[in-house]
Amino acid sequence: VKYCLGIDVGGTFTDLVLLSETTDMSRTAKVLTTPADPSIGALRGVDRLIAEGLDLRAVNKLIHGTTLVANALIERKGAVTGLITTKGFRDVLQFVGRELRYDTYDPNIIFPKPLVPRSLRVEVDERVDGSGAVLRPLEPESARAAIRGLLDQGVEAIAVCFINSFSHPEHEREVAKLVARTDPQIPVSLSHEVFPQIREYERTSATVMNAYVQPLVMSYLHSLEDGLRSRGFAGDLYLMTSTGGILTRETSERFPLQLVESGPAAGALAAAFVAGETGRDDVLSFDMGGTTAKATLIRDGRPLVSRDHEVARIARFKKGSGLPVGITVMDLLEIGAGGGSIASIDSVGLLRVGPQSAGAAPGPACYGLGGTEPTVTDADLLLGFIDADHFLGGEMKLDAAAAEQAILDHVAQPLGLGVVEAAAAINKVVTENMAEAARVHSVEMNVDIRRYGLVAFGGAGPIHACEVARRIGAPFVLCPRNAGVLSAFGLLIAPLAFEASLTKPADVDSLTAEAVDEIVGRLQLEAETLLHHSGAKEIAFERWADMSYIGQGFEVATVLPDTSANGDLAAALKRAFDETYFERYGRRLDDLPARVVTWRVVGREVATPPVAARARGGAGDSKASALKGAREVFFPSVLGATACSVYDRFALSPGDVIQGPAIVEERDSTVVIPPDVRATVDKSLGLFIDLSTADAPTESP
Amino acid sequence: VTRPSSRQPLDAVTVTILWDRLVSIADEATTTQLRAAFSSVVRESNDFAVSILDPTGGTLASARVGLPSFVGTQPVTLQAALREFPVSSLVEGDVIITNNPWISTAQLMDITLLAPIFKNGRVVAFGGSVAHSPDLGGTQRLAQSADVFEDGLFIPLMKLVRGGEPNEDLFKMIRSNCRHPSRTLGDLEAQLSALKIINDRILEVMSDHELADLDELIDEIYSRSEATIQTAIAEIPDGTYTSEVEIDNRLPNPVTGVIEREDEQIMIRAAVTVSGSTLKVDYTGSSKQLGNSTNSIWTYTRAYTAYTLRLILVPFLPNNWGFSRSLEVISPSGTIVNAEFPAPTNNRHIIGQQVCDAIFIALSAAVPNRVMAPGGGTPNWILFMAGAERRGTRFSRLFPVGGGLGAFPEKDGEVGAFPANLSSTPIEMVEAEQPVVFEAKELICDSAGPGRHRGGLGQRLVVRVQQETLYTVLAGKIDHPPRGLLGGGDGRAGRLLLNGEPILPGDGVLVPGDLLTLETPGGGGLHPPSERSIENVIQDTQDGLISVAQAVEAYGVPIEELTSLSASASDQDDPDSL
């Protein structure tokens, strides 16, 4: 029997999921993450599975998701990095992107500090113009001096980003050769390889990030793979990327920035998969944990992507306050600060929830770890959504008195409310905040959110899902089982994938099928070579052109029409763009001329996920009774207490129906089913909660 | 039909939820407008604002992004509109339009749309949207219009839509008065879709919460905000605080071709009087209006006065009329802060933005820990270029160039534009389309005003054209550098050079081989430089932001502390190293 193993290293826990490739056997494990060296925790998890009888030699394929890259950027724990750039442009990073203040009303606004200090940003003499013509060839002596200067200052990685290098990469390549000659141990990131796209700030930012995390990722993967091999692992090691594909270790080490949202992307991918299993292709994945709540729009079964993703924001929910990654990343919108969000009274005497968060330490007051400020989790406890004795399967006993005190002091008394009323108020406000964030984002993506159901996971997701869903008008909520290890499961269904792209601006009118074939063919070959080399057999390609109407400063990704078809390619491309633009922005500008800025080819391995993925849950444990008790719950929408049945998630079987109000508990998450709605257990043991028939806003035409 | 007052009063939690919801609706409408807008001025330079207003013309909520001046002018425009079209005369589906500078944004290029929201036959609120139009005709030599008629098409208060029916005559008139009608009309449609979103969402909220009107919510929002502001004002010691800001006078009179009143100092004079919980700003004594377009109008002056006071008093309070109505602003007619019709106002930001400096300087004595120093991003520096693109068609391009912002109350200044929050365009995007090569875009060493908090650094932008190109530079603080406050030093003045020779802001033609250099001013510093930590001075020296000489002379750091610095830092000492 052959297996595949997914290991997802998260902020608090490291989750493992083992699936058989041929039978429907599956196994999971959860261990604490070891932040100093996450490979220790990962190997501990592997050892636990070995102790339970796993022979690591039988694992064909191991897929790893990691927060290493994001954490290194957030905590600024990357390598001492040098940047080599065009004369006159060492300050591209310092100009904080576009010189835009992300908050017009903050008189003390803080911009993210560049990852490379000014003293390690050096200029060399070279220049290429906007048409790709060389104005000044690279001056080798100036490049050698720059390299020597950086090495003398002890840099551990070098990023090279020249102006317009996407149209003439030779100068960057020359510098790479010179570095290799001077010190072959120093990893070099070239902007035309990391992110070969127009816009100097974004490209420099991406290249610098890649260099900054490269040494760390290399040594981490080295020790992880060593640890696995010494335990008998002889299969292939892959890493999850931010777009929901996987890459080999070799490619990941060259482009570690691709791993920046590795873990969250796996969660959204899994949400898309479980929704797809029930025949639902348009959903919003809603992942709410202790420190964050994330939402991803999934359309036609595929998570949407974002091209303006940022990490390490100074102000958590403010766009523009972070470092742009440039590269395509799954659309992972942070819509809230999770269960740790702190409730407080603001300057006009009203209740605010978040954006401050108690995080994991000190955490909510009820954790008893020293937190005294009231949080969403404290409110959920007082409302009866969470059982103080059952949190994390009872591993962590919650302190209801501390929660009550915190809410009394900071919310109930200032507002003149009772404690339970105050808890209900916190719950209402946080729900409203998340729903609003999701709604505004859906407008931005031009998605009619009222057609989208919610797939809820994470410890707190299924507690809040129904109320969030009602507020945005979602027709249903789906809570997959094993919500706590859903991301690790997502790792196992990800295909090998790679995106090759290039900025090569051209007016649509001037394009011929031959010219397009030449560019796209080159990109396709690049993706194909890399994927074949990584072990992919059958590959499917998507071809895109990022286009705009001439004069506009932003582009819209458009699917390239088939160049081999007869007829006028330029006209077909223009039509495709006009349609895409209309779909995205609801406006027709057909009479305006258009242009292509960037070309992209996405290659994806065509593969079937392991068998066990589809029979993930197995049958319910019918020996035990699902109904395990009852308790009083205060639903914010209902006056007073409601008597509520409590069910054991693991004892439910396909076809079971639970009438709300009810609580369904599993080890590390709780599903809250409000009054007047009904949940059905589907064949994968997911809870399907239909809101379309309940007392919820109906979809407007 | 209004419900009798017997209904339940709104509780604090409902107020929170409804208030947040209003801001979120404005955000959603903003997103809608941005998505549909053609103009990159709107999309990339933030030149727009969306608000929800009350039936009498106060602002109830504004979106979290948007130009502060446009946020401030919308209630003024609505109040003027309601005098022309009393609320009882409005019908469902009406949309009012104007770009009259004297009742809106002080510039013809900005179009304000306002639409009543009806519930049960009664106006419960208004939606408002202002956006910089991609094109409304007028001269392309922006610094040279002699009156408002040369600025472009003037649209008085009119109905763009009457009871849901587009006013085709007006659309036709607009269409035939601009160079790129599809863009202008397209952006108008984008504004209309924003107003539709506001209308629909407000009605949804009202039905969700079973509200017949918003009156009680409006009272709650205004009274809570007003109380907060009054408390903040009361914390300022009573008194009258004055300031003078001298303005560069370098733009010739477009009729005579010479600089007017050269022997006179052109001044903004401000007196801020705080008495208990009231605050009054009086610009009496400011210079008489100019014959060129360097003139503000009271609407715009008032908007930036309010913005600056908000930054000082209640930066994190969501914007609304409860704040604005607490302020009294006096802008005498016929002066540079309130020019009389038909003055040209294309350059109104030069004056209107520097009122922020006047307020900061005046209040620095009263609230030293809350003011920003004047900066080099005030007024905004903007480079316009027009000529033939690489592909041969004509282009015109607006390129904002940030300056060093004045030191912030609690930290060093940054690089950018203030108070308007314009973003720059990636130079690669410009070079891909236009035959232009930027030789440098870099910080200028030693340009920041020294201080415990130093200013932001000015930047040097060097432009070379590959084909003949028409340019306009709008700039300020070339003659009068950004001032340091409370013991902080001045920032370096701006400079404008053509082939190394100083030139005046305004229009001109560049031919291949010409080198145009814009050096934006550095921000003023706050508090004495001697109070800056030595570590920060050493760090700045290491980063080449200040020279060893400035570290020693301005900050008094002993030279021994600096000798260990690497040679690479001192390479950057020469500001003309290009």
Side-chain angles (χ1 to χ4, degrees), chain B residues 194-231:
Chain B
L195 295 179
K196 173 143 184 13
I197 287 286
I198 294 178
N199 186 79
D200 295 354
R201 293 290 181 264
I202 292 277
L203 294 179
E204 266 175 40
V205 172
M206 294 180 72
S207 99
D208 285 356
H209 291 264
E210 298 174 355
L211 301 172
D213 58 53
L214 296 172
D215 297 354
E216 197 188 342
L217 177 66
I218 293 166
D219 286 347
E220 280 279 347
I221 290 176
Y222 291 173
S223 58
R224 284 175 184 270
S225 303
E226 204 164 32
T228 308
I229 286 116
Q230 288 178 353
T231 310

Side-chain angles (χ1 to χ4, degrees), chain A residues 62 73 95 153 369 375 504:
Chain A
L62 192 150
L73 292 167
F95 280 121
Q153 293 189 73
L369 299 172
T375 65
K504 199 168 169 57

Side-chain angles (χ1 to χ4, degrees), chain A residues 87-92 94-111 117-119 121 123 127-131 135-136 153 162-166 197-200 202-203 318 347-352 415 417 425 428-429 432-433 436 439-440 443-446 450 471 505 507 549-555 581 583-587 589 591-592 595 597, chain B residues 12-13 15-17 19-21 24-25 27-28 31-32 35-38 40 43-44 46 64 66 68 71 182-183 186-187 189-190 201 204 224-225 228 307 310-311 315-317 372 389-391 400-402 405 408-411 414-429 431-433 437-443 459 466 542-545 566 568 572 577:
Chain A
K87 189 169 167 64
F89 295 95
R90 82 195 291 222
D91 291 321
V92 162
Q94 193 103 29
F95 280 121
V96 287
R98 305 283 196 77
E99 301 173 9
L100 194 69
R101 284 175 286 142
Y102 55 82
D103 182 346
T104 316
Y105 294 97
D106 182 352
N108 287 297
I109 188 165
I110 297 171
F111 286 113
R118 197 163 190 261
S119 52
R121 305 196 299 255
E123 300 177 350
R127 189 66 156 91
V128 171
D129 79 3
S131 69
L135 299 178
R136 288 195 300 277
Q153 293 189 73
F162 290 143
I163 298 292
N164 293 324
S165 63
F166 51 85
Q197 292 182 30
I198 194 163
R199 290 185 174 89
E200 64 277 6
E202 285 76 3
R203 193 171 69 259
K318 287 176 187 160
S347 62
V348 292
L350 294 174
L351 175 65
R352 297 281 144 206
L415 290 181
L417 298 174
K428 266 189 197 170
V429 170
E432 188 76 29
N433 288 350
E436 286 301 310
R439 184 169 13 216
V440 172
V443 172
E444 213 165 323
M445 305 300 280
N446 203 29
R450 290 165 304 181
R471 281 173 167 81
D507 286 11
Y549 292 106
I550 289 169
Q552 283 181 323
F554 59 98
E555 297 95 49
Y581 192 89
E583 196 179 289
R584 179 89 168 78
Y585 296 111
R587 288 202 41 204
L589 297 168
D591 56 333
L592 296 179
R595 62 175 182 161
V597 177
Chain B
V13 175
V15 172
T16 305
I17 287 172
W19 191 349
D20 280 355
R21 195 70 192 273
S24 166
I25 290 170
D27 283 346
E28 188 179 335
T31 304
T32 305
R35 273 204 308 113
F38 184 89
S40 50
R43 187 177 282 276
E44 300 198 350
N46 237 346
R64 277 171 265 234
V71 166
S182 57
R183 299 180 186 186
D187 276 14
E189 274 174 43
R201 293 290 181 264
E204 266 175 40
R224 284 175 184 270
S225 303
T228 308
Y307 170 67
R310 200 175 141 198
L311 285 184
F316 298 106
L317 183 75
M372 262 172 83
E389 301 200 324
R390 289 194 191 281
R391 67 173 72 80
V401 191
L405 301 185
F408 294 171
E410 293 167 15
K411 64 184 283 285
E414 299 277 357
V415 178
F418 182 93
N421 193 8
L422 304 184
S423 74
S424 71
T425 310
I427 64 141
E428 288 178 344
M429 291 298 281
E431 291 189 1
E433 283 181 24
V437 177
F438 292 88
E439 294 288 351
K441 190 172 192 291
E442 61 190 357
L443 299 174
Q459 66 171 309
Q466 296 174 310
Q542 258 165 0
D543 286 341
L545 301 178
S566 67
S568 68
Q572 301 296 321
S577 64

